[in-house]
Amino acid sequence: MSTNGVHEEGQTGYAAISYVCDKHERSLSADTVRCYNELTAKGEFGLEMESLRVDQIGALAKTPHPFAGRKNITRDFCENQTEVITDVFDNIGDMLSQLHTLRSEVTAKLEENGELLWRFSNPPAFSDPDDIAIADFKGSVYRDYLAQKYGKVKMLLSGIHLNYSLPADTVSELARASGKDKRRFQDELYLSLAAGLLRYSWLIVYLTAASPVLDPSFVKFGGINENAIDKYASVRCSEVGYWNFFTPTFDFSSLDAYIKSIGRYIDSGDFISCSEIYYPIRVKPRGKYGLDELEEFGINHVELRMIDLNPLSPLGVFEKDIEFIHLLIIYLLNLELPLPDECEQIEAVNNMKTAALFDTESAVSFGGRTLSVKNAAGKELEKLYSFAQRYCPEYLAAVKYQLSKSCNESYSHIIRRLFSDDYMHKGMTLAKQYQGSDLNVHAFCGNFEK
């Protein structure tokens, strides 16, 4: 057998995949297996997708946000940074279906206004940072504060945030089995999941990085060494992306400890609020995100913030990547990983930045043991394939898809090959082709579906 990069023993490539018993893996009871089966069928999924509006020559749009009053369509840092926010759905397919509807509404309106949606996480060419208009939220000074502190250029980087919460009935059942109060159990479960996702953020970045091409204007005004223009597979997740001036660390042992560990940064003046902490994973309450709300209502979901816009998909994201992330979440719920200390958290963030490099032979570190990103990913994908075989066969195709990318050609390699010679012209051709298109066909490489 040889399927999408999965090889029999004795062949080149990955060794035959057998079930690997990780030292932190739990012994699953029949009831827990049933819960995992429920997790593959249910859950709560929501997605936020940012994209820049551009005019017919690819310049940043200078018009006001054209979707005033639309609950699901807002803007982020820039007035021209359109953000589509789906409702919450109990399956990935319905979430992506609404995303398609909302994106179609956006492109139709922009077409009326003579504008287009830029399809990359990295911005188009711009002549001056003064061209970047801060989002006009009346009475809000928060974005002005961010612009003054971090500059406006890196705020142009756009991406995807995936929100996930576990099925409420499954949490209740697991809480009863643990003998703990449901609220305490739920908070601790999400904190443990967030810590696990932090450890594995490098893997998500490695598999979804899709922003390897930069316009020289971003290099010039973003303070990036011009020799590093070809260094990154995901600029926004790399060392030159949108980060704080230092790596904050948190106490994941309880919600109270977690809130206090954030509060100390706010009290010291490092951050103005918890929203200023630019981190791959957040735990969030339902509704408004704030420490008071977290304390009062507890954790409702985790937010994954490291996914690039994918120009190879008209939707901006591939379903199999979201399915894989869901599988990874289920897998992490099966591991009894120790909570990371400060050094391990900093190591995890550094691994994520390393995974954002174009060179897949760059080394990630795990407690002093180093592996190339590509080899480390191969080992983890083998474990996830075996886990899916045993517990979540619905997601085997999603793992095979990731193995195929890792063994053959990644998103970032395809995108660099297609766009690096004429980023702006080809980027505009892509934007025009995708405007109103339902076809999963790429402007330069034909049908991309694997």
Side-chain angles (χ1 to χ4, degrees):
M1 174 192 128
S2 177
T3 306
N4 288 329
V6 184
H7 299 273
E8 289 182 345
E9 192 167 340
Q11 292 181 298
T12 59
Y14 293 112
I17 293 177
S18 59
Y19 189 71
V20 181
C21 184
D22 190 282
K23 66 180 179 180
H24 298 297
E25 190 165 355
R26 303 180 190 188
S27 177
L28 300 182
S29 67
D31 286 343
T32 305
V33 170
R34 178 169 50 80
C35 285
Y36 285 132
N37 288 337
E38 290 177 1
L39 286 173
T40 63
K42 295 190 295 183
E44 292 190 348
F45 302 87
L47 188 141
E48 306 160 34
M49 180 177 286
E50 307 155 345
S51 304
L52 296 170
R53 291 186 290 116
V54 296
D55 64 19
Q56 290 293 318
I57 63 171
L60 298 173
K62 294 180 172 58
T63 53
H65 174 67
F67 302 99
R70 281 292 280 109
K71 175 176 73 75
N72 296 92
I73 307 174
T74 182
R75 66 271 207 221
D76 201 304
F77 175 80
C78 312
E79 184 68 9
N80 69 325
Q81 190 175 42
T82 300
E83 182 175 16
V84 168
I85 304 170
T86 73
D87 296 323
V88 177
F89 293 92
D90 64 5
N91 68 84
I92 294 169
D94 287 347
M95 177 190 72
L96 294 181
S97 178
Q98 190 194 35
L99 177 66
H100 170 77
T101 299
L102 292 170
R103 294 270 285 186
S104 297
E105 179 182 344
V106 168
T107 54
K109 179 65 175 178
L110 296 189
E111 188 172 15
E112 290 178 11
N113 297 347
E115 295 177 351
L116 298 154
L117 207 59
W118 188 246
R119 298 286 172 161
F120 299 83
S121 279
N122 295 342
F126 59 99
S127 58
D128 192 284
D130 289 340
D131 293 341
I132 304 167
I134 298 173
D136 185 16
F137 289 96
K138 303 298 183 184
S140 173
V141 298
Y142 177 61
R143 285 164 178 78
D144 296 302
Y145 160 82
L146 296 178
Q148 184 175 9
K149 184 172 181 178
Y150 297 99
K152 295 197 289 185
V153 173
K154 290 181 182 178
M155 308 284 189
L156 291 172
L157 295 169
S158 300
I160 297 168
H161 297 172
L162 176 67
N163 299 292
Y164 176 78
S165 57
L166 289 89
D169 53 349
T170 302
V171 175
S172 297
E173 188 170 344
L174 291 172
R176 282 196 298 272
S178 74
K180 293 182 180 179
D181 169 76
K182 181 187 174 183
R183 162 69 189 270
R184 178 188 167 193
F185 176 85
Q186 180 167 309
D187 288 341
E188 291 179 353
L189 183 65
Y190 278 119
L191 285 168
S192 176
L193 176 59
L197 286 167
L198 172 63
R199 289 184 186 273
Y200 278 79
S201 60
W202 68 271
L203 181 61
I204 298 173
V205 170
Y206 170 72
L207 295 170
T208 61
S211 57
V213 184
L214 273 172
D215 185 82
S217 59
F218 188 89
V219 177
K220 176 181 177 181
F221 296 114
I224 300 172
N225 188 316
E226 63 180 15
N227 295 324
I229 192 169
D230 295 326
K231 186 177 178 180
Y232 307 106
S234 172
V235 173
R236 60 189 290 273
C237 294
S238 75
E239 61 194 3
V240 299
Y242 198 177
W243 295 94
N244 301 118
F245 297 137
F246 65 97
T247 302
T249 58
F250 310 108
D251 187 339
F252 290 92
S253 61
S254 71
L255 182 57
D256 181 62
Y258 181 80
I259 290 171
K260 286 179 179 176
S261 64
I262 293 178
R264 74 175 188 264
Y265 292 118
I266 297 172
D267 293 341
S268 66
D270 290 314
F271 304 127
I272 195 172
S273 74
C274 56
S275 295
E276 191 189 340
I277 299 174
Y278 302 114
Y279 210 65
I281 306 293
R282 284 178 178 172
V283 294
K284 302 181 80 171
R286 186 179 295 276
K288 181 182 176 183
Y289 176 48
L291 295 186
D292 290 342
E293 288 76 14
L294 261 180
E295 184 175 20
E296 181 176 357
F297 301 114
I299 302 172
N300 177 72
H301 61 275
V302 291
E303 180 186 46
L304 294 84
R305 301 164 52 83
M306 74 292 283
I307 307 168
D308 277 350
L309 290 176
N310 195 323
L312 300 174
S313 164
L315 194 57
V317 66
F318 284 104
E319 184 169 5
K320 283 189 175 66
D321 290 329
I322 303 299
E323 290 177 345
F324 175 78
I325 292 171
H326 186 207
L327 174 68
L328 177 62
I329 288 171
I330 299 167
Y331 175 72
L332 290 172
L333 292 169
N334 174 50
L335 298 183
E336 292 183 315
L337 292 171
L339 295 176
D341 60 24
E342 290 188 1
C343 291
E344 289 168 328
Q345 291 177 50
I346 292 170
E347 179 182 70
V349 171
N350 288 337
N351 283 344
M352 176 177 160
K353 294 176 182 178
T354 299
L357 296 173
F358 194 77
D359 180 9
T360 60
E361 295 303 316
S362 300
V364 285
S365 179
F366 307 98
R369 181 180 174 223
T370 60
L371 287 169
S372 73
V373 177
K374 185 171 184 175
N375 285 342
K379 291 179 180 296
E380 294 303 329
L381 288 172
E382 287 182 358
K383 294 180 184 179
L384 284 158
Y385 188 92
S386 296
F387 181 83
Q389 280 184 313
R390 189 171 185 179
Y391 300 116
C392 311
E394 303 92 329
Y395 283 166
L396 277 173
V399 186
K400 289 180 181 179
Y401 179 71
Q402 308 307 325
L403 281 163
S404 178
K405 283 190 296 180
S406 184
C407 288
N408 299 308
E409 195 173 26
S410 68
Y411 294 142
S412 61
H413 281 76
I414 294 170
I415 293 164
R416 178 166 290 178
R417 171 166 52 81
L418 295 171
F419 292 97
S420 61
D421 63 331
D422 199 347
Y423 179 53
M424 284 302 302
H425 175 72
K426 289 185 175 180
M428 288 300 293
T429 300
L430 187 69
K432 290 172 182 176
Q433 184 199 9
Y434 279 174
Q435 194 158 29
S437 172
D438 289 334
L439 298 176
N440 193 14
V441 177
H442 189 270
F444 306 103
C445 67
N447 193 328
F448 184 72
E449 287 184 312
K450 295 185 177 182

